[in-house]
Amino acid sequence: MKRKLMAAIGVAAMAAGAVACGSDGDSGNDNAGGGGGGGGDKPEAITVWIMTGSAPDAWLDELNTAFEAEHGVEVNVEIQEWNGIQEKITTALSEDGTVDVLEIGNTQTVGFATTGGLADLGDLADQPWNATMLESAQVDGALYSVPMYGANRAVIYDKAIWAEAGAEVPTTREEWIEALETIEANTDAQPIYLPGQSWYVAGGFMADEGGAFAVKEGEEWAGALNTPQAQAGMEFYQQLQEFSTAPKDTDEATPQQSVDVVPNEKIASWIGLGWEAGGAIAAIEEKGGTADFGYFPIPGKTADEPGHVFLGGSNLAVAERAGSKEYATKWLELATSQEWAQKYVDAMGGGVIPNRTDVTASPEAGSFAEAMVQAAEVGYLPPLTTGWANVETDPNPIKSYMTKVLNGDDYAEAAEAADAEITDRINRE
C-alpha cells in the first residue's frame, strides 16, 4: 500500500498521540517477543504491534494489565511507524515468532491473507462487527482480521466566512451548491478548496450513484469508470470543483491542503480528515491567527442519508507464524470485545467510528468526530483485492482520468483509457 493511503488510514486517530506501552525492544527472554511458546505451551509473553497514534496509553495499559492478570502472560507492545510498515510486516509474517498480534490498514488484509501470512479467525466471525468494516477483514468468506476502528472525511468550513455570506449548513447536494453560490456572491473567499485529483472524494460521489472504480466480472476485475453511474458522480465532482481555484492536476497532498493552503488563503470550506483539521488549526494558530471551524458530513443526494465516504481505518490480525496463536487470539478477542471496544472509543473521545454495532460513540457536539460518525453507515471501500495496490501506484489512472475530465476532454475516451489501465493493473498479482 502506498504511504498516502496508509497516512489517510492510520492518522485518523490523531487525538491519541504516540503510544509508549510495554517494551520497544527485545526483552532478552527466550519466551518473550513473539511468544516463543509454540505449540500448545503457554508463552511467557506475546508481542503486539500497534501503529503510532492508534491507541491511548491508558487504554493499552489497562487492557494489558487485565489480560496478564487473567492469563499470566505478559504483553509486549511495540509501536510501529506507518512509513515503511508494508515491507516490515511482509518480512515479519515470513518469520517464526516475530509478532503475534498486529494492526494493519483495513485495505491490507486481503494482501497479507492471500500470501498465507495471517491466521484464520473464523471463531470470531459471529461478533456484531460494523458491516462495512467487516468487508475489509474477510477474504473469500474467511475471516483473517477483525475491525479495530474506522475514520472518514467530512466538510470543514470557516464559520466566520459562512456567517458573512449568510450561507446555511447543507444537508443535501442541492443545498450544498446553493451555499457555495451564496459564498461566491457575497464574499471574496474561495467557496471550496477541491483539488482535481481528490479521488477518494470522487469515489464517494460515484458510490452515491451506485458506481465504483472497478467491478468483479467472473474471476477477474474490470475498470468501471465508463459507466453512467461513475459519470454522474464525476459530474457532481466537477460541479464542486468549478467553485475552486485549486489545481486540476494534483491531489489534496500536493500542496498539503491543511497546512500549506488553508492557513495561507481565504478558504470557506474544504473536505478533509480529522488529522487535517487539527493540522490546519495548529498552523493557523502558529501564524498568530484563530481558527473557528465547523464541520458537517458530506451531503448526499437527499437529506435522508449523507454522501458516501471512503471508510479508512485499521484491523487487528494474528500472524500465522506467531509464537503463540492461541494467546494472540485471546488478546485480540479481549481487545475487541464489547467492553474493551467501548472503553477504546471512549478513550479516543469518540473520535473514531466503532468497530462493533453494540458500541456507541459520543463525540463532543460540534466536533469533527460528530460529523464523521454521522456518515459512518454510508462508508465505502475500494476493491478489496491484492491488485488494487497496483492501481494506486503512480501514475494513478484514476487521477489522470479526473484531470482529463475537468479539463474538458471527452468523458468516454478518458474513462475508457482509465478503465483499460485499471483492468490491467488490478488483475496483476
Side-chain angles (χ1 to χ4, degrees), residues 297-335:
I298 294 175
K301 299 179 72 173
T302 69
D304 297 332
E305 183 177 87
H308 284 72
V309 286
F310 171 75
L311 186 59
S314 283
N315 295 336
L316 288 172
V318 170
E320 176 62 27
R321 300 175 73 169
S324 175
K325 285 197 288 185
E326 177 185 355
Y327 284 89
T329 302
K330 289 178 185 295
W331 185 93
L332 183 150
E333 187 172 9
L334 181 65

Side-chain angles (χ1 to χ4, degrees), residues 161-162 165 167 178-191 268:
I161 295 175
W162 279 57
E178 290 175 357
L180 298 179
E181 289 174 340
T182 299
I183 293 167
E184 185 175 54
N186 297 314
T187 75
D188 60 352
Q190 187 174 166

Side-chain angles (χ1 to χ4, degrees), residues 321-392:
R321 300 175 73 169
S324 175
K325 285 197 288 185
E326 177 185 355
Y327 284 89
T329 302
K330 289 178 185 295
W331 185 93
L332 183 150
E333 187 172 9
L334 181 65
T336 59
S337 66
Q338 193 280 333
E339 176 187 359
W340 288 96
Q342 184 66 64
K343 288 182 177 181
Y344 173 75
V345 170
D346 293 343
M348 296 295 285
V352 294
I353 299 168
N355 61 341
R356 302 168 58 105
T357 59
D358 55 0
V359 170
T360 59
S362 302
E364 182 181 349
S367 66
F368 181 94
E370 181 183 49
M372 179 184 70
V373 169
Q374 290 175 30
E377 294 302 315
V378 284
Y380 83 92
L381 294 166
L384 296 172
T385 175
T386 54
W388 184 249
N390 300 325
V391 177
E392 294 180 353

Side-chain angles (χ1 to χ4, degrees), residues 41 58 199-201 219 237 240 251 298-299 307 337 367 388 396 425:
D41 295 339
W199 61 290
Y200 288 128
V201 176
E219 295 299 314
Y237 187 98
L240 287 178
D251 62 18
I298 294 175
S337 66
S367 66
W388 184 249
N396 183 326
R425 293 190 188 193

Side-chain angles (χ1 to χ4, degrees), residues 237-292:
Y237 187 98
Q238 186 169 16
Q239 190 176 3
L240 287 178
Q241 217 273 330
E242 289 174 353
F243 287 99
S244 178
T245 61
K248 293 180 172 61
D249 59 352
T250 63
D251 62 18
E252 67 277 8
T254 314
Q256 175 50 251
Q257 61 182 7
S258 60
V259 296
D260 296 327
V261 177
V262 174
N264 298 307
E265 298 182 25
K266 194 171 182 181
I267 306 294
S269 63
W270 47 295
I271 299 170
L273 291 155
W275 68 267
E276 291 183 291
I281 292 170
I284 290 170
E285 291 178 348
E286 187 175 343
K287 290 168 62 74
T290 301
D292 188 15

